[in-house]
Amino acid sequence: MYQASTHEVGGVFPLLASSPMPAVGARIGYDVTAGGAFYVHPVEAVLTGACTNPNVVVFGEPGTGKSSTVVAFTTRMMPFGVKTLISGDVKGEYTPVLKALGATPIVLGPGSPARVNALDLGPLTARWDTWTARRQRNELTWVLGRWVQLLTALAEAQGYAATVTDEAVLSAVLHRAVGAADANTRLRPIAIPDVHRALADPPDELWQESRFADRRQFLDHLRPITDALNNLVSGPLAGMFDAPTNVELDWDAPAQSMDLSRLDSRGDKAVAVALTCLGSWSAIATDLQDDGEIRIVVRDEVWRQMRLGVRALMSFDSELRLSRKHKIIQVALVHKPADFLTVGDAGSQAASIARDMLSLFSTRVLFGQTTRVASELGDALSLAEKEQQAVSGWANHRRGRALWKTENQTGRKVQTVLSAVERRHFDTNVQLRSTHRSIRSVSAQKSDGGEEDDERIVARDSQSLEV
């Protein structure tokens, strides 16, 4: 630290500039270069012209402090009336924070009775009677379009690329299933098994209106996607997203979370499919919220969803593009740019969408990386040499350090500052810490009265980890 009297500072540091971001919103920590407080409010940044969209992408290796910084951001936005939805907590890291805020996370997976219908009409029916007929048609068309996109993405995750004909048939099935084709004034609730039954045993009107020669031709053409949807009903995710929703999000709570930690044993594909279903479900739920509400949607481990195929990418891409319209701050957590840049084959549609997706995040938060990854970030985000050096050097020397870069503005070196309460309720090393203590304790018990007893060992190790 350099110390000087106030009349000397102006001469010693004459060219320091404050952050171009407005001093409003969540106070994350301090700008290491300028020494002042650093604030973040993506919506205000859009309104003041500092950036073009409110989305935030966070790059960082495990243990660099990206998750704790995201938690600090979401909790410090709450006094401004901004609520948060954790759309798929893969490791269960946010559960202690939710409980401390008085909210109960929704736990999905083996042994949990919670169910979330991927085709849930809940948010739509809650406001249906208050809308005009024209608004009803527009909203229903939008929701059914999202469902078609979801179903084709889930089919592609199992190796089948849906055709235009598949999409047209799915749209017709969904219109019939909810009662829109019958001009009903009330919508009928549906689930994935209803769509599967309509494809496996279609009414005559369906295959005739879809311009198939006969029922057999319909069944033969739709067999791949029919089987793909059947796998969702009878596979490792059976019952989780194909049954009526039996949980209710408390939209008045400061935060809500979907805990998927129980799915970890089912493999990456099961987790990715669950993230895709939750992403679609939460997008509809948040997009149909009351006017004026701003909500943060945190998407952890998004690389899993991006590996499912071009349809899943298109779904995520559309949600990012609609964030301004629906007043959603999308926060995506990834490890490195390869999570975007290595999707699909070179020159493929998936690769093109994934690469262009980086431009849909105006705010980029870059935690410590290796020199190679920092160079990749430099190429992907057009970082200056000094900015790359900050990511590969300075940011690695202390947890919570990151380069915050907003579009073409100069990146700011920011140190996240956590309070004692935040450190206590959000500790991503809690399991590792517990295991470490147990190992040391057992080792001490096996020793022949060594120099230290168990309590002193645990106390000493705890102190070291805290430091």
Side-chain angles (χ1 to χ4, degrees), residues 58-350:
V58 184
F59 290 95
E61 294 294 332
T64 54
K66 64 179 185 295
S67 297
S68 56
T69 296
V70 169
V71 169
F73 168 62
T74 58
T75 55
R76 296 172 191 182
M77 288 292 286
M78 291 175 187
F80 299 91
V82 180
K83 300 180 177 65
T84 296
L85 173 64
I86 312 296
S87 181
D89 182 3
V90 178
K91 304 185 188 73
E93 295 176 336
Y94 298 88
T95 294
V97 180
L98 268 290
K99 291 182 177 179
L101 292 170
T104 302
I106 298 173
V107 180
L108 300 173
S112 172
R115 300 289 182 267
V116 173
N117 179 13
L119 307 181
D120 191 6
L121 277 168
L124 194 66
T125 55
R127 297 170 176 80
W128 188 259
D129 291 335
T130 64
W131 291 337
T132 63
R134 181 178 180 181
R135 175 79 184 274
Q136 289 176 347
R137 288 193 301 271
N138 292 339
E139 296 291 354
L140 182 61
T141 299
W142 175 78
V143 170
L144 296 186
R146 295 295 295 270
W147 285 353
V148 170
Q149 194 173 50
L150 169 64
L151 294 174
T152 53
L154 296 179
E156 188 176 36
Q158 300 173 72
Y160 175 68
T163 66
V164 176
T165 302
D166 295 330
E167 294 182 6
V169 172
L170 285 174
S171 180
V173 168
L174 291 171
H175 274 84
R176 286 178 168 275
V178 300
D182 304 327
N184 290 347
T185 56
R186 301 294 298 176
L187 299 178
R188 291 193 294 263
I190 63 171
I192 291 178
D194 298 317
V195 179
H196 174 261
R197 281 193 296 270
L199 296 176
D201 185 18
D204 292 341
E205 294 83 359
L206 179 60
W207 62 261
Q208 290 172 356
E209 291 175 3
S210 301
R211 301 193 304 278
F212 284 90
D214 52 33
R215 189 172 187 272
R216 173 50 54 191
Q217 186 187 42
F218 178 94
L219 293 173
D220 291 342
H221 183 89
L222 276 298
R223 184 181 301 279
I225 196 166
T226 303
D227 292 341
L229 294 181
N230 183 60
N231 290 338
L232 295 174
V233 178
S234 59
L237 298 180
M240 284 182 52
F241 300 102
D242 56 6
T245 301
N246 61 359
V247 295
E248 184 176 353
L249 284 180
D250 181 7
W251 294 112
D252 293 327
Q256 276 291 349
S257 173
M258 306 288 188
D259 189 332
L260 298 179
S261 57
R262 296 189 182 189
L263 277 179
D264 192 48
S265 61
R266 301 294 178 93
D268 286 343
K269 180 171 286 189
V271 175
V273 170
L275 287 173
T276 302
C277 289
L278 281 181
S280 177
W281 183 81
S282 60
I284 293 175
T286 53
D287 291 350
L288 293 176
Q289 62 193 322
D290 294 335
D291 291 341
E293 290 183 357
I294 299 173
R295 193 174 299 275
I296 298 171
V297 176
V298 177
R299 298 176 178 276
D300 201 0
E301 301 282 343
V302 296
W303 62 268
R304 297 175 186 259
Q305 181 180 345
M306 296 176 67
R307 295 296 187 272
L308 287 181
V310 66
R311 302 284 178 170
L313 277 174
M314 292 172 65
S315 176
F316 187 29
D317 182 81
S318 65
E319 290 162 17
L320 293 175
R321 293 180 185 277
L322 293 172
S323 59
R324 287 183 58 176
K325 176 182 177 182
H326 297 296
K327 300 178 288 295
I328 303 294
I329 302 172
Q330 298 277 359
V331 180
L333 281 74
V334 294
H335 293 151
K336 49 187 180 293
D339 294 341
F340 289 92
L341 305 181
T342 59
V343 173
D345 297 329
S348 65
Q349 184 183 13

Side-chain angles (χ1 to χ4, degrees), residues 15-35:
L15 302 178
L16 287 183
S18 62
S19 172
M21 304 300 290
V24 64
R27 183 173 178 173
I28 299 297
Y30 59 90
D31 185 323
V32 173
T33 304

